[in-house]
Amino acid sequence: MSDDSETADSDEVEIDRTSGFSTNFENTDLGTDESNQGLFDDLLSGEPIFENKEVLRPSYTPHELPHRSDQINKMATILVAALRGETPSNILIYGKTGTGKTASAKFVSKELESTSQKYSVPCDVEYINCEVTDTQYRVLAQLANKFIEKNEERIDEQLATLESLLEAVDEYDATVDVHEPEASKRADEQTASNPFEFAAEDATERDTDSSSGDSIAPESGDSPPEAGGSPDATAPASATEAEQAALPPDHPLASTPFESREAVEARIDDLETDRESFEEVPMTGWPTDRVYSVFFDAVDYDERVVVIMLDEIDKLVEKSGDDTLYNLSRMNSELENSRVSIIGISNDLKFTDFLDPRVKSSLGEEEIVFPPYDANQLRDILEHRSNVAFKDGALSEDVIPLCAAFAAQEHGDARRALDLLRTAGELAERSQAETIVEEHVRQAQDKIELDRVVEVVRTLPTQSKLVLFAIILLEKNGVHSINTGEVFNIYKRLCEEIDADVLTQRRVTDLISELDMLGIVNAVVVSKGRYGRTKEISLSVPLEETEAVLLSDSRLSDIDDVQPFIQARFEN
């Protein structure tokens, strides 16, 4: 009895039946018993600042893009040709990072696809990030698989429609079969009641036809009409027209291109055969020409206009040359059913200098430049997003202007401004503050700068960290134009200090090149005349933050005093 009363008096908690955990914390006591406090209880007790954090991420495509109407309208005037069934001109979009290139192109492509559905014009837009998909094989394989998937979806839709049509035909035939016996029964009853009268009426009708001069169709076995005689003008021109003409107006096939049930079944068989013939392209293992052939057939399966959007197109050219662009830009001369248009997006204004002249002329038919945002434009963008991202009253007045000012200093990067605002909100939420203030923005600025260095440096192998530490020590002691030999001397001393294996100078040179590729150092090969060539090395990341990350490594933290090594190096 006591158990029942306790159950009845306890607070009810809403349970999500699909996942099995509580989704409503309003009636739940999170702080009455310290012994029951869990890891996340304190965090759940605070009020959230965000309403929808996703609108501050680069992957989000907004419904409105401030200060990009000119570029969007220009793209629309070019791509509207696709809605007329024509091939749009190829477009190259230029601009620095965070200037709204990708967001604008995605916005226009969404509008294009939705409008094409509205007017029943077949148009497909496919997006490829060439920073990730950076080889000709991967680009073609990804596109082929996407179009194979679209073809399968369309075949499934057609099969469903045809199956429904067959069901309608079956229902119609069943209705006709019910009424035909009744009509036949009435005719039999009429004949049986007075067979002589029925025969007399039939003979009278034949006499009337004969006297009027009308031709009578010959019975089976009669002579054919004379040569040169004209056929009956009322006869259908073909068997298909004859069968369709024979269909009643209310027949399910009367308004379709199919003349019989067998024709519908034949079309279903053809579609199922096509669907089974599609073969998904693996991400490795096939010859490139086979991948291209599968992609070509998948694109040309239906009548449609295809727009292929290649983001970071310069990365593709840098990694695998312009063969992919050459093939894509020349496809239209071979396609029979479809037409292909390309939108290339690049941060590098000069990447076309490395293209084949034929590719450059066909690819760059239209060019659109996205200029950097200024501080006022960034402020408008942040205000537009913050209205959706945060709860009312979560931002102090100076937060958005400060985020815009920081981002404007770095060539008007809207992505950087959005990252700053989102990070500031996360820091405020973690500290359980009710409002985001200027201090949170400054902390976010420092955190973003440090995160860039930390994420790369922290994951370096120990040997690479030792080489980087040697470069930092040289720069701290005022050495400029550092060469490989100087780095190697300090590196050897550091290895001895922590009892690490010493690599050869050639291998250390390779590690410096790897650091250069990661953007941590800048290594330039210079000629010293008769003394040969060497690399001049300088640090590309903040020195103090990078050193702090290196010293957080347990092995490098054993180095107590590095100054003697530098002095020993100068003495040598």
Side-chain angles (χ1 to χ4, degrees):
M1 186 70 180
S2 60
D3 292 341
D4 295 338
S5 62
E6 287 176 5
T7 303
D9 294 336
S10 61
D11 292 329
E12 293 183 358
V13 178
E14 180 183 345
I15 300 296
D16 183 357
R17 298 298 179 188
T18 60
S19 55
F21 58 84
S22 171
T23 58
N24 182 8
F25 300 102
E26 292 182 359
N27 299 323
T28 305
D29 188 1
L30 296 174
T32 57
D33 188 357
E34 294 184 1
S35 62
N36 292 331
Q37 288 289 312
L39 178 62
F40 296 99
D41 290 333
D42 290 338
L43 300 176
L44 289 172
S45 63
E47 284 294 325
I49 288 178
F50 290 100
E51 185 73 35
N52 183 4
K53 190 189 296 186
E54 297 305 311
V55 302
L56 298 177
R57 298 191 184 277
S59 57
Y60 176 76
T61 301
H63 300 293
E64 182 182 350
L65 288 160
H67 307 291
R68 285 295 178 254
S69 57
D70 291 343
Q71 289 79 8
I72 288 174
N73 289 336
K74 186 173 182 180
M75 273 190 279
T77 56
I78 297 170
L79 294 175
V80 72
L83 300 176
R84 303 190 185 105
E86 304 168 356
T87 307
S89 299
N90 297 325
I91 305 174
L92 279 181
I93 299 174
Y94 299 102
K96 293 183 177 181
T97 302
T99 53
K101 305 182 301 299
T102 302
S104 298
K106 285 185 175 181
F107 173 81
V108 173
S109 67
K110 280 186 178 181
E111 290 290 316
L112 178 64
E113 287 189 309
S114 63
T115 307
S116 69
Q117 294 174 1
K118 178 180 177 181
Y119 292 101
S120 300
V121 179
C123 179
D124 292 330
V125 180
E126 290 300 334
Y127 172 83
I128 299 288
N129 186 345
C130 296
E131 190 168 12
V132 179
T133 310
D134 58 355
T135 65
Q136 181 180 7
Y137 185 102
R138 292 178 182 175
V139 169
L140 294 178
Q142 187 169 332
L143 288 172
N145 290 334
K146 284 186 176 182
F147 284 109
I148 286 173
E149 183 179 353
K150 286 181 178 291
N151 293 340
E152 290 175 342
E153 290 174 356
R154 291 181 178 177
I155 288 176
D156 290 341
E157 292 175 358
Q158 294 180 45
L159 287 174
T161 302
L162 294 176
E163 293 290 350
S164 299
L165 188 60
L166 285 181
E167 292 177 1
V169 171
D170 291 339
E171 292 177 1
Y172 181 88
D173 291 344
T175 304
V176 171
D177 290 342
V178 169
H179 294 293
E180 278 186 352
E182 296 179 358
S184 177
K185 182 178 179 181
R186 287 195 300 270
D188 292 342
E189 290 175 352
Q190 182 180 2
T191 304
S193 63
N194 193 345
F196 298 101
E197 182 181 351
F198 182 79
E201 291 177 357
D202 186 47
T204 303
E205 289 178 1
R206 293 191 181 188
D207 292 341
T208 304
D209 292 340
S210 175
S211 62
S212 63
D214 292 340
S215 58
I216 306 299
E219 299 289 339
S220 176
D222 289 347
S223 300
E226 297 180 1
S230 60
D232 189 353
T234 61
S238 65
T240 300
E241 293 177 0
E243 294 185 15
Q244 286 186 326
L247 292 174
D250 60 339
H251 195 281
L253 298 180
S255 59
T256 70
F258 303 105
E259 67 276 6
S260 65
R261 177 187 177 88
E262 289 73 18
V264 179
E265 292 174 341
R267 179 56 179 161
I268 290 176
D269 291 339
D270 291 342
L271 289 173
E272 289 177 344
T273 301
D274 288 346
R275 200 183 194 290
E276 293 174 359
S277 68
F278 294 138
E279 184 177 6
E280 185 176 347
V281 180
M283 294 313 295
T284 57
W286 281 14
T288 304
D289 57 347
R290 181 184 176 187
V291 179
Y292 177 79
S293 177
V294 172
F295 161 65
F296 183 93
D297 293 339
V299 170
D300 209 31
Y301 180 76
D302 272 339
E303 289 188 5
R304 57 187 162 192
V305 176
V306 174
V307 179
I308 299 175
M309 192 186 309
L310 300 175
D311 200 359
E312 306 286 355
I313 190 174
D314 51 300
K315 304 292 184 184
L316 176 64
V317 175
E318 180 182 340
K319 179 74 177 287
S320 57
D322 56 8
D323 291 343
T324 309
L325 303 182
Y326 180 82
N327 290 329
L328 293 177
S329 62
R330 299 285 171 172
M331 282 184 67
N332 289 328
S333 61
E334 303 174 3
L335 292 170
E336 296 181 0
N337 299 320
S338 60
R339 290 292 177 264
V340 173
S341 176
I342 301 171
I343 298 178
I345 304 174
S346 174
N347 299 329
D348 186 0
L349 298 175
K350 298 182 179 179
F351 95 96
T352 55
D353 295 344
F354 304 99
L355 295 178
D356 184 284
R358 295 170 297 177
V359 178
K360 186 176 180 179
S361 62
S362 60
L363 187 64
E365 294 174 339
E366 298 282 352
E367 295 185 353
I368 302 175
V369 178
F370 280 66
Y373 294 108
D374 59 31
N376 292 329
Q377 292 172 336
L378 289 173
R379 184 181 303 181
D380 292 341
I381 294 171
L382 292 178
E383 288 177 350
H384 185 263
R385 298 281 187 101
S386 64
N387 292 333
V388 183
F390 297 101
K391 292 184 178 294
D392 293 338
L395 292 175
S396 62
E397 295 182 355
D398 54 353
V399 167
I400 287 180
L402 185 59
C403 289
F406 277 142
Q409 293 174 2
E410 298 186 14
H411 54 260
D413 189 343
R415 191 175 302 171
R416 176 62 179 270
L418 292 169
D419 284 343
L420 264 175
L421 186 58
R422 176 179 53 81
T423 305
E426 291 173 347
L427 292 174
E429 199 170 56
R430 290 169 194 170
S431 63
Q432 297 188 350
E434 296 181 357
T435 307
I436 305 171
V437 296
E438 178 182 340
E439 182 60 27
H440 292 130
V441 177
R442 297 191 181 278
Q443 291 176 5
Q445 171 80 348
D446 296 338
K447 183 179 184 298
I448 291 175
E449 285 291 339
L450 184 59
D451 285 350
R452 291 179 177 180
V453 179
V454 169
E455 290 303 320
V456 177
V457 175
R458 181 178 289 170
T459 56
L460 289 174
T462 302
Q463 292 288 349
S464 296
K465 288 181 178 179
L466 289 170
V467 173
L468 180 57
F469 201 3
I471 297 171
I472 289 175
L473 294 178
L474 288 167
E475 285 213 354
K476 282 183 66 176
N477 285 270
V479 181
H480 302 289
S481 301
I482 304 168
N483 60 50
T484 308
E486 293 168 338
V487 174
F488 183 68
N489 287 335
I490 303 299
Y491 160 78
K492 284 194 301 182
R493 299 293 183 91
L494 293 174
C495 289
E496 293 171 1
E497 178 69 17
I498 66 170
D499 196 21
D501 294 335
V502 180
L503 302 178
T504 63
Q505 184 167 344
R506 183 169 184 173
R507 179 59 185 141
V508 169
T509 303
D510 293 338
L511 293 178
I512 294 173
S513 299
E514 292 176 7
L515 294 174
D516 184 23
M517 291 176 61
L518 291 170
I520 299 174
V521 302
N522 182 32
V524 181
V525 178
V526 296
S527 175
K528 296 294 184 180
R530 60 176 181 171
Y531 298 105
R533 296 186 302 170
T534 186
K535 283 186 175 181
E536 288 190 351
I537 307 158
S538 59
L539 204 62
S540 300
V541 291
L543 190 148
E544 293 183 0
E545 289 83 353
T546 307
E547 183 181 16
V549 175
L550 291 175
L551 291 175
S552 66
D553 187 302
S554 58
R555 296 195 68 183
L556 273 63
S557 63
D558 293 338
I559 302 175
D560 297 327
D561 188 2
V562 295
Q563 188 65 25
F565 304 125
I566 301 299
Q567 292 175 348
R569 176 258 175 191
F570 288 134
E571 291 172 1
N572 290 336

